[in-house]
Amino acid sequence: MKTSKEIRQSFLDFFQSKQHHIVPSAPMVIKDDPTLMFTNAGMNQFKNIILGNDPIKYPRIADSQKCLRVSGKHNDLEEVGHDTYHHTMFEMLGNWSFGDYFKKEAIEWAWEYLTEVLCLDKNRLYVTVFEGSPDEGLERDNEAAGYWEQHIAADRIINGNRHDNFWEMGDTGPCGPCSEIHIDIRPDSERAKVNGLTLVNQSHPQVIEIWNLVFMQYNRKADGSLESLPAKVIDTGMGFERLCMAMQGKLSNYDTDVFQPIITEIGKLCGINYGANDKTDIAMRVIADHIRTISFSITDGQLPSNAKAGYVIRRILRRAVRYGYTFLDQKQAFLYKLLPALIDSMGIAYPELQAQQSLISKVIKEEEESFLRTLETGIRLLDKVIDDTKAEGKTEISGVNAFTLYDTFGFPLDLTELILRENGMTVNIDEFNTEMQKQKERARNAAAVETGDWVSVRDGETAFVGYDLLETEAHILRYRLVKQKNKSFYQIVLDQTPFYAEMGGQVGDSGIMADGNETIEIFDTKRENNLPVHLTAKLPSDVTATFSVKVNGEKRQATENNHSATHLLHEALREVLGTHVEQKGSFVSPDTLRFDFSHFQKVTDEEIRKVEELVNAKIRENRPLDEHRNMPIAEARALGAMALFGEKYGDHVRVVKFGSSVELCGGTHVQATGEIGFFKVAAESSVAAGIRRIEAVTGAGAETFVQNQQDLLKGIHLLFNNAPNMIQSVQKALDENSALKKQIESFMQEKMLQLRDILIQRAEEINGVKVIRHQGDENPELVRGLASQFKGKFSDVKFLFVAGTVFEGKPSLTIFLSQPMVDAGYNASNMVREAAKFINGGGGGQPFLATAGGKKTEGLDQAVAKVIELI
């Protein structure tokens, strides 16, 4: 039986024998592409070639690509782990042809590899072809069917509909029919009862698609019409995990050697055997799947966060934690302990896992511990909702409350439902779904982009001249109208441009384009599918004119100062903190620079000072730019340039050197470090476990920063009458303030006790309840302390204390109930919410003590009266 490692290698060897160039997997996390956060298909890294924006270096390519899918046609995050063959992260084996071979060879080689190299049983294989679409004038793909008939019986060739057998990159762009290969891995006894032909594309867990051959031969235009592509493309994708299942004679991907080492380790950590219970099995599958996704994402530079791609990773990680918490009784962080098993399984194919093991482990552990605290908070909040709902005589909690727990605190709905079931309660799912839909619509509206078709003005490709020039003559190649967030603008592609398009953390250039009759502002330059596009609010009147295009030189210079400073900063950090420091992200604009790097503790003030001194020394040395624009990557590494994890590099790279600082970089830079002027760190902070962030300024920005600091110090000096020893004077003021606070607290305590005794004398009895009511101008904190004083005085009787006070112009309510009142069914939290309506406010608390604030002071009398009325 072939191992997964052998199967992966056999695929690459086979296509190498067919003259394919073998390329490494691209990072799973996609950068510099606004249309996509993650690599979700093998073709992603070749999208620019398919679109014609990048030249074809190799007409035939093959690889094994790590992918991530959390939504779409074949995957949904909430379903992963519940079946045997869907995953968040998976590997896609693929072969490509760019204008070289087409359907005949793709079909022949797919059949040869599966049946002759891997020796899969031909009688278990079925294929599908596109049945056609009369509405679009598309006939059945008889060409593909004809080639298949040379290898497989015609009755095993199935017509597939547009949904299954017509592949599209998006709403517009390259597309075409596809042909899927399905395999029936059911036992012979079941195959004898039911023909596998009837189970293809019916979501049967053992009759599954393993390989999809896409024949890109059309381009979809914005109006929905199709035109033929001048250069046809073959794009195939085979699910590696599914192929291993078929090859290893298993009925589940999770039973293969891809997942079993991780599942075995989970079992050891939890003391649970896989296969003993459905619920624990699902939890173990979820965790085994998710630990791969989380680890590879961190390796590729995407840390868990609350935004965009980072939020996706955090959500996946929390899903794994929650399954361990609920079903495997893991109340402490444990996912990070699975990393060695993952590295044993995949470390040879992906050595970056081993290299980044320490960082991955620290990030996962911190995220686990944080979410476990969130779970505890969520459970407490849910307990309160349950108590309040029961007090109202209901057994169904509001879906709005459940959504708040989910959206604000990351508390999953199914865990809410589980806890509710244990309490004999349910949640209003319709209300929850309504809130979820509202959120999705808000997100959809915020991200909605409507793009028109490209309007071609002339043929050609863009040449970037911005390393050498800030101004040049240019012509428009093509343009299109884009609508986003109710705003319209144009994307313009030029034949040559000095404008740097946003990439690698450096913002895009702005400037103008003029033809003598009018001047158009270019307000930004973006990179879309590796194509520099210039953004303008209006279109030139004559799009065929010759334009003078000019970059805003002042902004470019400020940006270059900051970008070159990040290179010097990186080198200085490694010198001061150690060679474990590696860049994990950066942002460079005209105003500031931000640099994220691996380091496991706060950078001290002394270390920051040393870093600043080193960087400024290199600036004063005026080190010249030593640039190599098209250097073979092996030579670049020999020079000492570091390749960053999570970045995709070509065979030739650009190397930027400033003395001993050597970086692979495509951004723009100063001609010599002296142009930077001055460097100053503005802030140092933590981004995530093992990741620190430095924010800094250079040039005029650094001067302004220092001037502001000086102004602040002068202002403090004036407040202390220009005292000669400022530190001593400030410390003396702090000590005096602390002493005065203690005196005030003592006075407040004395006042509170005096007020308590006065109020006790005023106590009245209403309906068998001892009542103390008070209205005054005390600080709400004092009133809360006063309420606690009554706890020991009235512990055995029914007692109510209600205070309505106005402090600094703001009204507030405080309610305290003795334990006998709570036992009788009264709830201070419910009472204060009801009474707070009279002061246009709200609040809450515990059944025995609750407070509320408001805006309407004149309603305070009614609020206090309402509390009395409630008893």
Side-chain angles (χ1 to χ4, degrees):
M1 182 178 74
K2 284 184 180 291
T3 66
S4 57
K5 297 170 187 175
E6 291 170 337
I7 294 169
R8 184 191 293 112
Q9 192 59 49
S10 76
F11 177 86
L12 300 176
D13 291 344
F14 175 80
F15 278 99
Q16 190 168 39
S17 74
K18 304 296 184 185
Q19 291 76 53
H20 286 64
H21 180 72
I22 308 302
V23 299
S25 171
M28 195 166 68
V29 179
I30 293 181
K31 301 172 183 176
D32 303 316
D33 185 346
T35 66
L36 207 57
M37 291 191 294
F38 300 103
T39 297
N40 62 6
M43 55 74 58
N44 289 155
Q45 68 165 309
F46 309 115
K47 185 165 65 167
N48 298 327
I49 298 174
I50 295 167
L51 291 170
N53 298 333
D54 281 357
I56 299 171
K57 291 183 180 179
Y58 306 103
R60 299 181 182 187
I61 283 176
D63 73 348
S64 178
Q65 173 66 51
K66 30 181 195 178
C67 302
L68 172 60
R69 286 185 191 169
V70 289
S71 63
K73 174 182 172 185
H74 291 303
N75 217 322
D76 188 303
L77 177 59
E78 296 307 324
E79 294 176 2
V80 170
H82 288 262
D83 65 17
T84 59
Y85 57 96
H86 282 139
H87 306 289
T88 49
M89 179 199 158
F90 59 97
E91 289 184 75
M92 188 70 82
L93 305 174
N95 58 287
W96 283 265
S97 165
F98 305 112
D100 188 5
Y101 64 83
F102 203 46
K103 295 180 185 180
K104 181 178 185 294
E105 294 84 353
I107 289 170
E108 284 181 355
W109 292 337
W111 188 256
E112 180 184 350
Y113 176 67
L114 291 177
T115 63
E116 296 182 25
V117 177
L118 297 185
C119 300
L120 287 173
D121 185 350
K122 298 177 183 179
N123 295 318
R124 290 178 176 269
L125 298 175
Y126 301 89
V127 298
T128 63
V129 296
F130 180 48
E131 66 183 5
S133 176
D135 294 343
E136 296 184 286
L138 295 173
E139 296 180 350
R140 177 179 185 259
D141 192 356
N142 292 313
E143 181 185 5
Y147 292 131
W148 276 121
E149 286 175 5
Q150 298 175 23
H151 306 286
I152 191 170
D155 63 0
R156 302 173 76 85
I157 301 171
I158 306 162
N159 287 343
N161 58 30
R162 191 176 184 278
H163 177 267
D164 291 322
N165 282 86
F166 194 89
W167 185 91
E168 305 203 43
M169 184 180 290
D171 293 334
T172 60
C175 56
C178 62
S179 188
E180 298 173 341
I181 304 173
H182 295 252
I183 187 166
D184 184 350
I185 59 173
R186 293 176 299 153
D188 289 338
S189 58
E190 290 189 27
R191 292 176 63 222
K193 295 176 185 176
V194 180
N195 189 339
L197 194 68
T198 64
L199 300 176
V200 171
N201 275 332
Q202 299 302 311
S203 299
H204 193 287
Q206 278 97 49
V207 183
I208 55 171
E209 171 200 341
I210 55 170
W211 206 345
N212 189 11
L213 315 180
V214 178
F215 314 125
M216 288 188 223
Q217 57 191 92
Y218 303 110
N219 179 52
R220 174 82 66 184
K221 302 179 72 175
D223 63 4
S225 62
L226 296 170
E227 60 183 9
S228 294
L229 284 176
K232 294 178 173 58
V233 173
I234 285 293
D235 163 13
T236 87
M238 177 156 53
F240 174 65
E241 293 80 6
R242 296 185 182 189
L243 180 61
C244 290
M245 175 172 63
M247 284 294 297
Q248 295 178 4
K250 306 296 184 181
L251 298 180
S252 165
N253 290 357
Y254 293 97
D255 292 338
T256 68
D257 68 344
V258 176
F259 289 99
Q260 273 302 303
I262 303 172
I263 289 175
T264 299
E265 187 62 24
I266 296 170
K268 289 179 183 177
L269 290 172
C270 302
I272 297 172
N273 292 325
Y274 183 64
N277 177 281
D278 283 346
K279 288 184 177 180
T280 57
D281 284 358
I282 290 171
M284 294 168 89
R285 289 197 293 266
V286 166
I287 293 165
D289 173 275
H290 289 5
I291 191 64
R292 301 192 332 149
T293 300
I294 299 158
S295 300
F296 275 101
S297 297
I298 294 170
T299 297
D300 285 347
Q302 183 55 65
L303 299 171
S305 71
N306 284 330
K308 298 181 180 178
Y311 177 70
V312 174
I313 302 307
R314 174 164 284 168
R315 185 181 171 208
I316 292 171
L317 191 151
R318 288 182 166 187
R319 184 171 188 259
V321 173
R322 194 263 303 171
Y323 268 88
Y325 182 95
T326 305
F327 300 105
L328 304 181
D329 197 32
Q330 295 301 298
K331 303 300 192 274
Q332 304 294 325
F334 82 106
L335 292 180
Y336 73 99
K337 297 177 183 177
L338 300 174
L339 197 53
L342 174 63
I343 291 172
D344 285 344
S345 176
M346 303 187 72
I348 294 176
Y350 300 101
E352 61 266 30
L353 285 172
Q354 179 73 55
Q356 301 251 62
Q357 181 175 357
S358 180
L359 173 65
I360 300 167
S361 180
K362 286 180 181 292
V363 171
I364 293 176
K365 186 172 186 286
E366 184 173 285
E367 282 287 321
E368 284 188 86
E369 291 172 342
S370 173
F371 184 53
L372 285 167
R373 291 192 294 271
T374 297
L375 279 176
E376 291 176 3
T377 301
I379 288 170
R380 286 198 300 270
L381 291 169
L382 181 56
D383 285 343
K384 181 180 181 303
V385 172
I386 290 171
D387 289 342
D388 291 348
T389 305
K390 284 182 176 179
E392 295 170 5
K394 299 177 181 177
T395 59
E396 180 184 72
I397 75 163
S398 161
V400 176
N401 284 337
F403 184 78
T404 300
L405 283 168
Y406 164 82
D407 192 45
T408 306
F409 300 98
F411 204 71
L413 175 62
D414 50 1
L415 185 54
T416 297
E417 290 179 306
L418 179 66
I419 294 171
L420 288 174
R421 279 196 299 272
E422 292 171 352
N423 286 271
M425 302 180 73
T426 59
V427 61
N428 189 319
I429 295 294
D430 290 339
E431 287 182 359
F432 181 90
N433 290 337
T434 298
E435 294 301 310
M436 179 67 81
Q437 190 59 37
K438 287 178 184 176
Q439 185 196 61
K440 288 181 178 179
E441 287 173 3
R442 287 192 296 269
R444 191 179 298 116
N445 292 336
V449 179
E450 182 182 334
T451 57
D453 284 327
W454 285 109
V455 178
S456 179
V457 178
R458 64 180 70 203
D459 294 332
E461 295 180 355
T462 299
F464 175 64
V465 297
Y467 291 139
D468 304 306
L469 303 171
L470 292 182
E471 185 175 4
T472 190
E473 284 192 347
H475 301 92
I476 295 176
L477 295 178
R478 54 189 183 273
Y479 64 87
R480 68 180 176 185
L481 178 65
V482 178
K483 295 179 181 178
Q484 185 175 23
K485 295 184 181 178
N486 298 320
K487 292 182 180 179
S488 297
F489 57 90
Y490 288 91
Q491 292 182 337
I492 297 175
V493 179
L494 303 173
D495 60 350
Q496 64 175 1
T497 178
F499 286 74
Y500 183 81
E502 181 177 339
M503 186 174 69
Q506 179 175 333
V507 299
D509 283 329
S510 59
I512 59 171
M513 58 187 299
D515 65 356
N517 297 316
E518 63 179 335
T519 298
I520 303 291
E521 179 192 2
I522 296 173
F523 62 83
D524 201 356
T525 312
K526 299 286 189 182
R527 190 174 301 274
E528 189 167 308
N529 298 321
N530 209 36
L531 189 69
V533 292
H534 306 74
L535 310 186
T536 65
K538 59 179 290 190
L539 196 65
S541 301
D542 182 5
V543 295
T544 64
T546 299
F547 295 91
S548 172
V549 292
K550 184 177 182 181
V551 171
N552 182 321
E554 184 178 343
K555 285 187 175 180
R556 166 69 84 82
Q557 178 68 60
T559 302
E560 289 179 342
N561 290 347
N562 285 328
H563 198 160
S564 298
T566 63
H567 287 213
L568 303 183
L569 171 62
H570 191 188
E571 183 184 32
L573 286 169
R574 288 173 62 84
E575 186 173 334
V576 172
L577 302 180
T579 55
H580 65 278
V581 168
E582 291 179 357
Q583 179 179 337
K584 292 299 174 185
S586 67
F587 173 77
V588 178
S589 73
D591 304 316
T592 187
L593 69 89
R594 187 177 70 219
F595 189 80
D596 297 344
F597 57 98
S598 54
H599 187 56
F600 300 117
Q601 60 193 38
K602 179 177 173 58
V603 185
T604 66
D605 292 341
E606 293 78 10
E607 289 168 336
I608 289 174
R609 181 69 58 85
K610 287 179 184 176
V611 166
E612 288 177 331
E613 289 172 352
L614 283 171
V615 172
N616 282 310
K618 291 163 188 171
I619 290 171
R620 290 192 297 273
E621 289 170 10
N622 199 28
R623 296 179 175 185
L625 170 66
D626 181 9
E627 178 191 21
H628 304 267
R629 292 188 187 170
N630 197 31
M631 177 176 280
I633 192 164
E635 291 183 24
R637 286 181 172 139
L639 272 179
M642 286 193 304
L644 301 177
F645 289 112
E647 296 290 344
K648 177 71 176 175
Y649 299 102
D651 296 331
H652 289 74
V653 293
R654 180 170 177 257
V655 177
V656 172
K657 289 187 65 183
F658 290 106
S660 53
S661 167
V662 187
E663 303 253 356
L664 300 177
C665 183
T668 63
H669 289 275
V670 298
Q671 292 304 302
T673 58
E675 295 177 27
I676 299 170
F678 178 50
F679 170 86
K680 184 67 181 173
V681 173
E684 190 272 350
S685 60
S686 171
V687 178
I691 306 293
R692 307 298 299 182
R693 170 173 291 172
I694 279 182
E695 296 172 71
V697 283
T698 64
E703 292 175 7
T704 301
F705 179 83
V706 171
Q707 289 165 358
N708 290 338
Q709 295 294 100
Q710 288 177 328
D711 291 343
L712 177 64
L713 287 172
K714 286 179 181 178
I716 295 172
H717 266 286
L718 287 174
L719 289 174
F720 286 88
N721 298 318
N722 291 314
N725 190 326
M726 273 302 303
I727 293 177
Q728 192 177 74
S729 297
V730 171
Q731 186 60 54
K732 182 181 177 183
L734 290 173
D735 292 342
E736 289 174 352
N737 183 60
S738 178
L740 289 170
K741 276 185 175 180
K742 289 179 181 178
Q743 286 185 33
I744 291 171
E745 288 173 4
S746 177
F747 293 149
M748 291 285 284
Q749 183 73 12
E750 186 178 337
K751 180 180 179 181
M752 182 175 63
L753 293 174
Q754 290 174 351
L755 181 58
R756 179 199 66 184
D757 294 339
I758 293 170
L759 291 176
I760 288 174
Q761 293 175 11
R762 296 179 187 171
E764 55 189 312
E765 189 161 318
I766 302 174
N767 295 333
V769 178
K770 186 79 75 174
V771 176
I772 292 178
R773 67 179 95 189
H774 171 67
Q775 289 182 250
D777 59 0
E778 292 85 5
N779 187 319
E781 287 301 313
L782 184 143
V783 179
R784 281 176 62 91
L786 182 62
S788 66
Q789 290 290 321
F790 292 123
K791 190 171 185 179
K793 292 283 184 180
F794 300 98
S795 59
D796 299 327
V797 298
K798 288 186 176 181
F799 171 76
L800 162 69
F801 169 67
V802 55
T805 57
V806 179
F807 184 72
E808 295 181 348
K810 295 180 180 179
S812 64
L813 279 172
T814 302
I815 298 174
F816 171 77
L817 299 174
S818 65
Q819 189 59 43
M821 287 288 284
V822 175
D823 293 341
Y826 291 96
N827 187 302
S829 182
N830 293 340
M831 294 169 72
V832 85
R833 280 197 289 267
E834 183 70 21
K837 296 175 183 176
F838 293 99
I839 58 172
N840 288 351
Q846 297 168 293
F848 66 91
L849 178 63
T851 59
K855 302 174 184 176
K856 185 180 175 184
T857 56
E858 58 270 27
L860 209 49
D861 290 345
Q862 289 174 284
V864 172
K866 180 63 179 179
V867 174
I868 303 298
E869 178 189 320
L870 291 172
I871 64 166

